[in-house]
Amino acid sequence: MKKLVLSLLLLAVLLGLSQCKKSDPTPPPTPSQLGLLPPATQTGQRTFGCLVNGQAWTPAGSPFGGPLFTAVYLDNRLGISASRKLLVNGTNSFQRMGFSISKIYHTGTYSLNDSSRVGSYEDFDKSCSMYTSSSQVGKVIITKLDFVNQIVSGTFAFTLEAPTCGKVIVTDGRFDTRF
């Protein structure tokens, strides 16, 4: 009788364990792993990308034959700007985004919160121009600032909102370029 009870108990335990579901420890792929955004490098690769409202945003097309992505460092002020021109539903769409930071001497985190440190997003087709301010703050993290080789790399994020434009959430931003 004892053997029968032990056998039934063991069978119940094994059946119970077989119903356990093992969770997948592998996280979902990042936008970089999917090839939607450039990798976050620090070698002057001349890359720029981010997510805008969850969608990949990288420089593309050329609105007026000018550069798609520029970086300027002058008088301790860093300016990064990227643009893209796409064909959306048969119509050209032109957008630009970037940031400018004054008094930048080294790597670190810089808040985009006033006129000397500002982030921007413009959608020319919607006549929208939005900028960070004391109430709409963003940040840029400079991870490399090499004056000898003239390389600047980092990450950025900001959220902007305007009544006529809606809300723009910029996340997972990264850049790596020469200046």
Side-chain angles (χ1 to χ4, degrees):
M1 183 75 162
K2 261 186 173 177
K3 285 185 179 183
L4 180 60
V5 170
L6 285 174
S7 295
L8 288 174
L9 185 59
L10 181 60
L11 181 60
V13 169
L14 289 174
L15 282 173
L17 289 175
S18 69
Q19 299 304 312
C20 292
K21 292 183 181 179
K22 189 175 179 182
S23 63
D24 186 5
T26 308
T30 65
S32 293
Q33 292 167 332
L34 292 173
L36 301 175
L37 293 177
T41 56
Q42 296 185 347
T43 56
Q45 295 291 312
R46 197 161 158 65
T47 57
F48 181 98
C50 61
L51 297 178
V52 175
N53 295 337
Q55 300 296 310
W57 196 103
T58 56
S62 184
F64 308 109
L68 303 175
F69 173 47
T70 58
V72 176
Y73 185 84
L74 182 64
D75 295 331
N76 301 317
R77 184 176 193 89
L78 173 66
I80 301 278
S81 178
S83 61
R84 71 184 202 165
K85 177 183 173 185
L86 303 171
L87 192 61
V88 178
N89 298 326
T91 305
N92 283 325
S93 172
F94 179 54
Q95 301 165 338
R96 181 173 45 210
M97 82 163 62
F99 51 87
S100 176
I101 306 169
S102 64
K103 299 180 183 175
I104 179 170
Y105 306 104
H106 51 76
T107 60
T109 301
Y110 295 85
S111 290
L112 302 174
N113 59 358
D114 62 29
S115 61
S116 67
R117 295 181 178 171
V118 64
S120 66
Y121 176 83
E122 298 170 285
D123 187 327
F124 292 90
D125 302 315
K126 296 179 181 174
S127 298
C128 287
S129 295
M130 298 183 281
Y131 305 92
T132 56
S133 63
S134 59
S135 63
Q136 297 189 108
V137 179
K139 72 177 177 179
V140 174
I141 301 172
I142 303 296
T143 55
K144 181 171 187 168
L145 184 58
D146 180 343
F147 294 108
V148 174
N149 296 303
Q150 296 183 318
I151 296 173
V152 62
S153 307
T155 62
F156 62 94
F158 50 85
T159 299
L160 302 172
E161 190 168 8
T164 57
C165 302
K167 192 172 196 175
V168 173
I169 302 170
V170 177
T171 58
D172 294 321
R174 71 274 316 270
F175 61 95
D176 175 31
T177 191
R178 295 184 182 274
F179 55 86

